[in-house]
Short mmCIF file of all heavy atoms in Angstrom, two decimals:
data_model
loop_
_atom_site.label_atom_id
_atom_site.label_comp_id
_atom_site.label_asym_id
_atom_site.label_seq_id
_atom_site.Cartn_x
_atom_site.Cartn_y
_atom_site.Cartn_z
N MET A 1 21.10 18.87 19.80
CA MET A 1 21.96 20.03 19.63
C MET A 1 22.81 19.93 18.43
O MET A 1 23.65 19.02 18.37
CB MET A 1 22.70 20.27 20.80
CG MET A 1 23.42 21.64 20.83
SD MET A 1 24.21 22.05 22.39
CE MET A 1 22.84 22.13 23.47
N LEU A 37 55.69 36.81 54.55
CA LEU A 37 55.42 37.98 55.24
C LEU A 37 55.98 37.96 56.68
O LEU A 37 56.23 38.96 57.32
CB LEU A 37 53.88 38.40 55.27
CG LEU A 37 53.32 38.78 53.95
CD1 LEU A 37 51.74 38.98 54.07
CD2 LEU A 37 54.01 40.14 53.61
N ILE A 58 42.83 36.09 41.71
CA ILE A 58 42.86 35.16 40.47
C ILE A 58 42.19 33.85 40.86
O ILE A 58 41.49 33.32 39.97
CB ILE A 58 44.30 35.00 40.01
CG1 ILE A 58 44.79 36.33 39.40
CG2 ILE A 58 44.43 33.95 38.92
CD1 ILE A 58 46.25 36.39 39.07
N SER A 83 19.08 13.53 24.55
CA SER A 83 19.12 13.23 23.16
C SER A 83 19.12 11.70 22.82
O SER A 83 18.49 11.11 21.92
CB SER A 83 20.26 13.94 22.45
OG SER A 83 20.32 13.48 20.98
N ILE A 84 20.00 11.02 23.64
CA ILE A 84 20.12 9.54 23.53
C ILE A 84 18.83 8.84 23.88
O ILE A 84 18.44 7.93 23.22
CB ILE A 84 21.31 8.99 24.42
CG1 ILE A 84 22.65 9.53 23.88
CG2 ILE A 84 21.27 7.53 24.50
CD1 ILE A 84 23.83 9.15 24.70
N GLN A 88 16.49 6.65 21.56
CA GLN A 88 16.13 5.33 21.95
C GLN A 88 14.63 5.11 21.88
O GLN A 88 14.12 4.13 21.45
CB GLN A 88 16.58 4.97 23.31
CG GLN A 88 16.30 3.60 23.86
CD GLN A 88 17.03 2.56 23.16
OE1 GLN A 88 18.09 2.82 22.53
NE2 GLN A 88 16.50 1.38 23.00
N ALA A 110 -1.93 -0.31 6.69
CA ALA A 110 -0.59 0.25 6.84
C ALA A 110 -0.71 1.77 7.15
O ALA A 110 0.11 2.25 7.91
CB ALA A 110 0.21 -0.07 5.59
N ASN A 133 -0.77 2.31 -8.14
CA ASN A 133 -1.91 1.44 -8.53
C ASN A 133 -1.29 0.25 -9.31
O ASN A 133 -0.07 0.10 -9.46
CB ASN A 133 -2.88 2.22 -9.43
CG ASN A 133 -2.28 2.69 -10.74
OD1 ASN A 133 -1.03 2.57 -10.89
ND2 ASN A 133 -3.08 3.13 -11.72
N CYS A 162 6.85 14.26 -10.22
CA CYS A 162 7.42 14.29 -8.88
C CYS A 162 8.90 13.97 -9.03
O CYS A 162 9.40 13.05 -9.52
CB CYS A 162 6.85 13.11 -8.01
SG CYS A 162 7.41 13.03 -6.40
N GLN A 201 12.30 -1.56 -5.86
CA GLN A 201 11.17 -1.07 -6.55
C GLN A 201 10.52 -0.05 -5.72
O GLN A 201 10.43 -0.22 -4.47
CB GLN A 201 10.31 -2.23 -6.80
CG GLN A 201 8.99 -1.88 -7.65
CD GLN A 201 8.06 -3.04 -7.97
OE1 GLN A 201 8.34 -4.17 -7.46
NE2 GLN A 201 7.08 -2.85 -8.77
N LEU A 206 5.81 9.09 0.53
CA LEU A 206 5.47 9.72 1.84
C LEU A 206 5.70 11.24 1.67
O LEU A 206 6.75 11.61 1.45
CB LEU A 206 6.30 9.10 2.88
CG LEU A 206 5.94 9.43 4.30
CD1 LEU A 206 4.54 8.90 4.76
CD2 LEU A 206 6.99 8.94 5.34
N VAL A 207 4.59 11.96 1.88
CA VAL A 207 4.64 13.40 1.92
C VAL A 207 4.39 14.03 3.32
O VAL A 207 3.39 13.65 3.93
CB VAL A 207 3.53 13.98 0.85
CG1 VAL A 207 3.58 15.47 0.84
CG2 VAL A 207 3.73 13.40 -0.51
N ASN A 259 -11.47 -18.11 -11.39
CA ASN A 259 -11.27 -19.53 -11.78
C ASN A 259 -12.38 -20.38 -11.14
O ASN A 259 -13.25 -19.94 -10.58
CB ASN A 259 -9.83 -20.00 -11.36
CG ASN A 259 -9.63 -19.86 -9.84
OD1 ASN A 259 -10.65 -19.91 -9.03
ND2 ASN A 259 -8.44 -19.76 -9.40
N ARG A 293 -11.85 -25.37 -34.41
CA ARG A 293 -11.63 -25.03 -35.89
C ARG A 293 -11.02 -23.73 -35.91
O ARG A 293 -10.09 -23.48 -36.70
CB ARG A 293 -12.96 -25.04 -36.63
CG ARG A 293 -12.82 -24.74 -38.06
CD ARG A 293 -14.17 -24.46 -38.80
NE ARG A 293 -15.03 -25.46 -38.52
CZ ARG A 293 -16.40 -25.46 -38.73
NH1 ARG A 293 -16.89 -24.43 -39.28
NH2 ARG A 293 -17.15 -26.55 -38.48
N VAL A 315 -18.10 -9.58 -19.36
CA VAL A 315 -18.02 -8.78 -18.20
C VAL A 315 -18.74 -7.45 -18.46
O VAL A 315 -19.45 -6.83 -17.57
CB VAL A 315 -16.61 -8.51 -17.73
CG1 VAL A 315 -16.57 -7.38 -16.65
CG2 VAL A 315 -15.93 -9.79 -17.22
N ASP A 322 -22.54 -9.42 -10.72
CA ASP A 322 -22.49 -10.70 -11.35
C ASP A 322 -21.00 -11.14 -11.30
O ASP A 322 -20.09 -10.35 -11.37
CB ASP A 322 -23.07 -10.60 -12.72
CG ASP A 322 -24.48 -10.22 -12.79
OD1 ASP A 322 -25.19 -10.36 -11.77
OD2 ASP A 322 -24.93 -9.55 -13.78
N CYS A 325 -16.73 -16.42 -14.50
CA CYS A 325 -15.63 -17.37 -14.31
C CYS A 325 -15.22 -18.04 -15.53
O CYS A 325 -16.11 -18.29 -16.46
CB CYS A 325 -15.99 -18.33 -13.21
SG CYS A 325 -16.79 -17.71 -11.69
N ALA A 344 -32.57 -13.66 -16.75
CA ALA A 344 -31.40 -14.37 -17.17
C ALA A 344 -31.29 -14.62 -18.63
O ALA A 344 -30.33 -14.52 -19.29
CB ALA A 344 -31.19 -15.63 -16.32
N SER A 359 -16.78 -11.13 -34.56
CA SER A 359 -16.46 -11.79 -35.75
C SER A 359 -15.77 -10.81 -36.71
O SER A 359 -14.66 -11.13 -37.34
CB SER A 359 -17.64 -12.48 -36.38
OG SER A 359 -18.26 -13.32 -35.61
N VAL A 366 -16.91 -15.85 -34.84
CA VAL A 366 -16.96 -16.00 -33.45
C VAL A 366 -18.41 -16.01 -32.96
O VAL A 366 -19.15 -15.08 -33.23
CB VAL A 366 -16.18 -14.78 -32.67
CG1 VAL A 366 -16.21 -14.98 -31.21
CG2 VAL A 366 -14.83 -14.69 -33.30
N ALA A 391 -26.92 -28.91 -19.46
CA ALA A 391 -27.74 -29.65 -20.31
C ALA A 391 -28.40 -28.63 -21.39
O ALA A 391 -28.56 -29.02 -22.49
CB ALA A 391 -28.85 -30.42 -19.54
#
Side-chain angles (χ1 to χ4, degrees):
M1 187 174 295
L37 288 176
I58 292 175
S83 176
I84 293 175
Q88 182 66 27
N133 63 349
C162 181
Q201 185 178 6
L206 188 66
V207 180
N259 57 26
R293 184 189 307 170
V315 172
D322 300 331
C325 311
S359 299
V366 181

